[in-house]
Amino acid sequence: MIYLVPEGRDITELKLAEEQLRDNDAMIRDLVETSRDWIWAIDAEGIHTYCNPAIETILGYRPDELVGKSSLDLIHEDDRKIVQAELPRWIDARRGWNGLVLRWKHKLGDWRYLESNAVPVIDAEGEVLGFRGVDRDITDRLEADQKLAQIAAQLAHVARLSAMGEMVAGITHEVVQPLHAISNVAHATASILQDEEHAELSEVRDWNASIISSAKRAEEIVKRMRSFARRGESERSIADINEIIRESVQLVAFEARRCRAEVHLDLPEPAP
């Protein structure tokens, strides 16, 4: 088909370009309207100017219930502070954001985690008019990750118990040995104290020191056993690596003695 204006000028290419634009617009509209992700637009104040139908599935609101309202009203208070602090910077830098995870309140009251990506809308003068973006509901994925972490913690606990079971015999020996020392030295101390003619008490003081040392050693061994077998999530904290090494060597000292092996430590001070 050929299009002619009254003056006889051929505008066929112009008409074809207009039809192509209409087709492209229709295609983009169909993609946006049928997307399972929340596609949205806000002005520079954070007021919604567009929401696709997916918002009803994700947060329970119809698009017309959010258009004209602030997006900040539905964001968790802690996350809202982050957005309020960053929004002026995004506008000044004329940039958007990627992978921003925010908690949004569902119409029924529960919280949903949405991963947001956005770009700024800039006019001919370079002013930021607002933002357009896509948010994906990742709540189920995060909950699955948490369950996997719990399972991993349980498996780690089982592994610790299994390893502890293999060391029970040797650790029992480690506990019994200092207890025997305590008993023997305590009896010797009692005998000396009963000897009225024995005036020198330096040996008694040494033996008492030995009692204290042996008792402390037994206490530390039992404490490490309880800590090792304690059920619960792992905790991360800053620690002295040298102290961890020393405690580990003490924990397996029975195995070293059984193999007639000597352990020599060359640890840097201070610890790295």
Side-chain angles (χ1 to χ4, degrees):
M1 181 180 293
I2 299 176
Y3 297 90
L4 299 175
V5 294
E7 297 81 2
R9 183 164 55 89
D10 186 354
I11 59 170
T12 303
E13 291 186 3
L14 178 60
K15 289 293 184 181
L16 291 175
E18 290 176 350
E19 291 178 4
Q20 184 65 45
L21 284 175
R22 284 195 295 271
D23 291 342
N24 289 342
D25 287 344
M27 179 183 68
I28 293 173
R29 189 180 308 110
D30 290 341
L31 292 173
V32 170
E33 294 294 308
T34 58
S35 173
R36 298 178 63 183
D37 293 330
W38 177 23
I39 299 176
W40 51 267
I42 59 174
D43 62 19
E45 301 300 323
I47 305 299
H48 285 290
T49 57
Y50 173 78
C51 290
N52 72 334
I55 187 59
E56 189 167 2
T57 302
I58 296 174
L59 292 181
Y61 295 94
R62 299 189 311 274
D64 61 282
E65 290 182 281
L66 292 187
V67 172
K69 296 181 180 179
S70 173
S71 60
L72 295 176
D73 294 340
L74 298 179
I75 298 177
H76 190 280
E77 181 181 359
D78 294 340
D79 298 342
R80 186 188 314 150
K81 294 176 182 178
I82 297 175
V83 174
Q84 289 173 327
E86 292 295 333
L87 187 59
R89 300 190 184 99
W90 290 329
I91 293 176
D92 291 342
R94 294 177 175 79
R95 65 177 180 85
W97 56 86
N98 291 291
L100 179 64
V101 177
L102 301 173
R103 287 164 288 182
W104 291 76
K105 193 169 188 177
H106 192 279
K107 193 173 184 178
L108 298 179
D110 60 324
W111 293 98
R112 308 296 294 179
Y113 287 82
L114 304 186
E115 185 178 59
S116 181
N117 299 278
V119 294
V121 179
I122 303 175
D123 63 14
E125 285 72 33
E127 294 296 323
V128 175
L129 302 179
F131 296 87
R132 297 187 185 123
V134 179
D135 283 22
R136 173 165 295 180
D137 189 349
I138 61 171
T139 307
D140 294 341
R141 190 185 79 192
L142 292 179
E143 290 178 350
D145 290 343
Q146 291 175 354
K147 289 180 180 179
L148 286 175
Q150 291 174 356
I151 293 173
Q154 292 172 356
L155 290 175
H157 177 67
V158 171
R160 291 198 301 270
L161 291 180
S162 176
M164 185 176 179
E166 297 174 1
M167 294 190 297
V168 164
I171 292 179
T172 302
H173 175 73
E174 286 293 293
V175 174
V176 171
Q177 190 178 35
L179 292 179
H180 275 308
I182 292 172
S183 177
N184 293 336
V185 175
H187 281 89
T189 303
S191 298
I192 291 298
L193 292 176
Q194 289 174 1
D195 186 359
E196 297 180 357
E197 297 180 357
H198 200 289
E200 181 58 53
L201 296 180
S202 61
E203 288 183 275
V204 176
R205 286 193 289 269
D206 292 341
W207 289 342
N208 281 337
S210 179
I211 291 174
I212 294 172
S213 176
S214 296
K216 185 176 181 181
R217 180 183 169 199
E219 181 184 358
E220 289 299 323
I221 292 171
V222 174
K223 187 184 299 183
R224 281 196 291 271
M225 289 172 61
R226 293 180 60 186
S227 176
F228 188 73
R230 186 175 59 243
R231 189 184 183 113
E233 297 182 0
S234 300
E235 297 181 1
R236 296 185 178 184
S237 62
I238 296 176
D240 185 336
I241 187 65
N242 287 351
E243 186 61 26
I244 292 175
I245 294 172
R246 293 189 187 98
E247 290 185 0
S248 300
V249 169
Q250 291 177 12
L251 193 61
V252 295
F254 72 93
E255 187 71 15
R257 284 195 295 271
R258 187 181 67 82
C259 299
R260 297 181 179 179
E262 293 184 3
V263 179
H264 298 276
L265 300 180
D266 183 12
L267 304 177
E269 294 292 350

